[in-house]
């Protein structure tokens, strides 16, 4: 190879590092952990695609759940901040972890990258200020910076365009109600307020799941977050289509078999126990077989039927939009011979006028044959107004037992394989997680909507049998 070709190849490689975060992440790994051979896998590229979308402000709130030791910190907390500063030396980035020592390690690794020869070659405009170049905080001559803090640590006087939380809980701390709630309160009332631009600032949380009410559970309960959930072993056939990444994970397929095959993962399951394994490895902080509803009971459909016997919508309503209350939920079902396809799940926190409008808009979109609304509390006024103002096929549901009893009454319909979920949907992960965790999860609105529909179907079928006998 001639010297001219070498120069040309170097320029092409440098251009790739500047424009593709995935390539930059691989180079970062070689810098911060030079003694370990790099073994590439698609999930590194997928995380980079999501972070590039955050960089373009296409995603402003992102949660990434992934097992430990799969390059989450190097990808999100080390490589991405360095890349952001390279693209714009004036960017301001705040990064936090549960322990100050861990935050300092991530910061030190990021600074090591920024000071490397290859980084300075591809991003020559990034220069650090000599008297503001520490493990905790380093500042560029353009007044950009990366600042490291810890959960419950002080962020007074600091603000950022990008906020990163990497492992907000320790494994032991997440089991403590006090420590877990302290972390969530710190995020809400201290860290999240440090965005310089509340409209365009970006917040990324990356962690392994440790508890149903950890920071991920807390934020998903609020709504408004993009959720990238990557289990160690695919529990169902999963289609991944985001940015440049398009692939299918088959049920039972490990995340990265070269790094951790199924035998190694099974050993971890034994060592961790089913609860810890379900959270840390499968990102479902409940045993994988589920609670009242087991994961293996749900069937899958590839595509919707061209015509269903009927379409039914089931509403679990809540009027108050406060984040501490359960949201309102609508599940839309398609009935076909032998079962029911769950077609859509909508979960929103709404005041009453917006809730009523949403019921109408969902009915317009799906043209249901029946709309089930609980004739209790918030649903009573909704039933009255919709019957007076619309011609919608509203059916009032009068619950006769508590939530757990209602769920138990219809669990056999799920166990018999008559309930079908799509192989891919934006809402699918959150729906499955809530169903598997019931009755121990933080929220149950999707469960209530589902059991209301299934119990109504049971009564409907029983009524038809009685009519035939007469």
């Amino acid at each position: 190879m001639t010297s001219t070709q070498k120069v040309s190849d170097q320029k092409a490689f440098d251009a790739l590092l500047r424009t593709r975060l995935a390539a930059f992440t691989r180079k970062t790994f070689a810098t911060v952990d030079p003694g370990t051979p790099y073994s590439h896998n698609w999930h590194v590229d997928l995380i980079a695609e999501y972070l590039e979308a955050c960089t373009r402000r296409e995603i402003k709130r992102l949660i990434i759940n992934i097992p430990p030791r799969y390059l989450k910190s190097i990808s999100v907390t080390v490589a991405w901040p360095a890349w952001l500063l390279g693209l714009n030396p004036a960017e301001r980035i705040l990064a936090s972890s549960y322990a100050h020592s861990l935050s300092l390690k991530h910061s030190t690794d990021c600074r090591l990258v920024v000071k490397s020869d290859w980084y300075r070659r591809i991003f020559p405009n990034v220069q650090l200020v000599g008297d503001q170049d520490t493990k905790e905080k380093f500042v560029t001559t353009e007044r950009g910076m990366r600042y490291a803090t810890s959960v419950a640590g002080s962020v007074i006087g600091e603000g950022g365009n990008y906020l990163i939380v990497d492992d907000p809980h320790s494994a032991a701390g997440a089991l403590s109600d006090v420590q877990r709630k302290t972390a969530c309160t710190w995020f809400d009332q201290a860290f999240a307020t440090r965005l310089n631009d509340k409209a365009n600032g970006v917040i990324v949380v990356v962690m392994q799941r440790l508890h149903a009410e950890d920071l991920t559970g807390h934020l998903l309960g609020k709504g408004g977050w993009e959720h990238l959930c990557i289990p160690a072993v695919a529990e169902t056939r999963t289609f991944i289509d985001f940015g440049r990444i398009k692939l299918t994970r088959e049920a039972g397929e490990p995340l990265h078999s070269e790094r951790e095959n199924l035998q190694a993962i099974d050993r971890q399951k034994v060592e961790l126990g089913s609860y810890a394994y379900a959270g840390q490895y499968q990102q479902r902080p409940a045993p994988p077989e589920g609670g009242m509803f087991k994961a293996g009971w749900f069937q899958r459909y590839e595509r919707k039927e061209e015509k269903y016997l009927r379409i039914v919508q089931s509403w679990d309503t809540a009027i108050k939009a406060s984040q501490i209350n359960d949201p309102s939920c609508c599940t839309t079902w398609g009935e076909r011979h032998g079962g029911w396809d769950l077609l859509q799940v909508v979960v929103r926190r709404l005041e009453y006028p917006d809730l009523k409008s949403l019921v109408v808009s969902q009915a317009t979109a799906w043209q249901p044959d029946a709309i089930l609304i609980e004739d209790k509390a918030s649903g009573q006024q909704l039933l009255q107004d919709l019957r007076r103002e619309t011609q919608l096929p509203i059916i009032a549901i009068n619950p006769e037992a508590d939530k757990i009893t209602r769920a138990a009454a219809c669990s056999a319909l799920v166990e018999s394989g008559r309930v079908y979920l799509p192989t891919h949907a934006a809402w699918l992960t959150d729906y499955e997680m809530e169903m598997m965790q019931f009755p121990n999860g933080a929220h149950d609105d999707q469960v209530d909507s589902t059991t209301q529909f299934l119990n109504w179907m049971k009564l409907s079928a029983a009524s038809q049998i009685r009519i035939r006998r007469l």
Side-chain angles (χ1 to χ4, degrees), residues 210-231:
L210 295 167
H211 191 279
E213 297 177 13
D214 58 18
L215 185 59
T216 287
H218 173 71
L219 296 178
L220 290 178
K222 290 184 174 186
W225 288 77
E226 185 81 16
H227 187 200
L228 173 57
C229 183
I230 308 177

Side-chain angles (χ1 to χ4, degrees), residues 312-333:
V312 179
Q313 291 184 323
S314 177
W315 281 89
D316 178 67
T317 61
I319 287 181
K320 292 184 179 181
S322 169
Q323 299 289 7
I324 64 174
N325 295 303
D326 278 345
S328 295
C329 172
C330 174
T331 54
T332 300
W333 300 84

Side-chain angles (χ1 to χ4, degrees), residues 114-143:
V114 171
K115 290 186 172 185
S116 67
D117 292 339
W118 65 268
Y119 183 92
R120 288 185 294 176
R121 185 181 67 247
I122 65 172
F123 293 125
N125 293 331
V126 179
Q127 301 292 328
L128 300 186
V129 178
D131 60 352
Q132 297 187 64
D133 179 9
T134 67
K135 292 181 179 180
E136 186 173 80
K137 178 181 179 180
F138 53 89
V139 181
T140 71
T141 53
E142 299 297 318
R143 308 311 297 166

Side-chain angles (χ1 to χ4, degrees), residues 10-75:
Q10 185 67 67
K11 287 183 178 180
F13 182 60
D14 289 351
L16 181 67
L17 295 177
R18 281 191 293 268
T19 57
R20 293 285 299 274
L21 179 57
F24 186 90
T25 300
R26 295 172 71 167
K27 186 67 173 174
T28 294
F29 178 87
T31 300
V32 301
D33 197 359
T36 302
Y38 177 78
S39 178
H40 187 65
N41 195 53
W42 58 265
H43 75 276
V44 177
D45 294 335
L46 181 62
I47 291 173
E49 289 292 316
Y50 272 86
L51 294 177
E52 285 190 22
C54 290
T55 305
R56 297 189 296 267
R57 301 305 200 275
E58 295 168 3
I59 298 175
K60 297 175 185 176
R61 299 292 184 274
L62 174 63
I63 295 171
I64 302 173
N65 294 143
I66 187 170
R69 312 302 297 170
Y70 279 85
L71 299 184
K72 67 178 178 60
S73 294
I74 286 180
S75 296

Side-chain angles (χ1 to χ4, degrees), residues 147 170 222:
Y147 176 76
S170 67
K222 290 184 174 186

Side-chain angles (χ1 to χ4, degrees), residues 238-292:
T238 306
F239 298 97
I240 298 171
D241 184 356
F242 188 87
R244 305 176 184 92
I245 310 303
K246 293 173 175 58
L247 58 90
T248 300
R249 287 187 77 186
E250 299 295 340
E253 182 180 321
L255 173 55
H256 188 184
S257 58
E258 290 184 12
R259 186 198 172 280
E260 198 168 25
N261 59 27
L262 289 175
Q263 290 74 22
I265 291 174
D266 286 342
R267 285 196 297 271
Q268 286 297 314
K269 183 176 181 179
V270 172
E271 293 175 3
L272 289 169
S274 62
Y275 180 84
Y277 168 83
Q280 295 181 37
Y281 269 68
Q282 294 303 98
Q283 312 315 307
R284 188 207 307 279
E289 64 272 11
M292 189 168 288

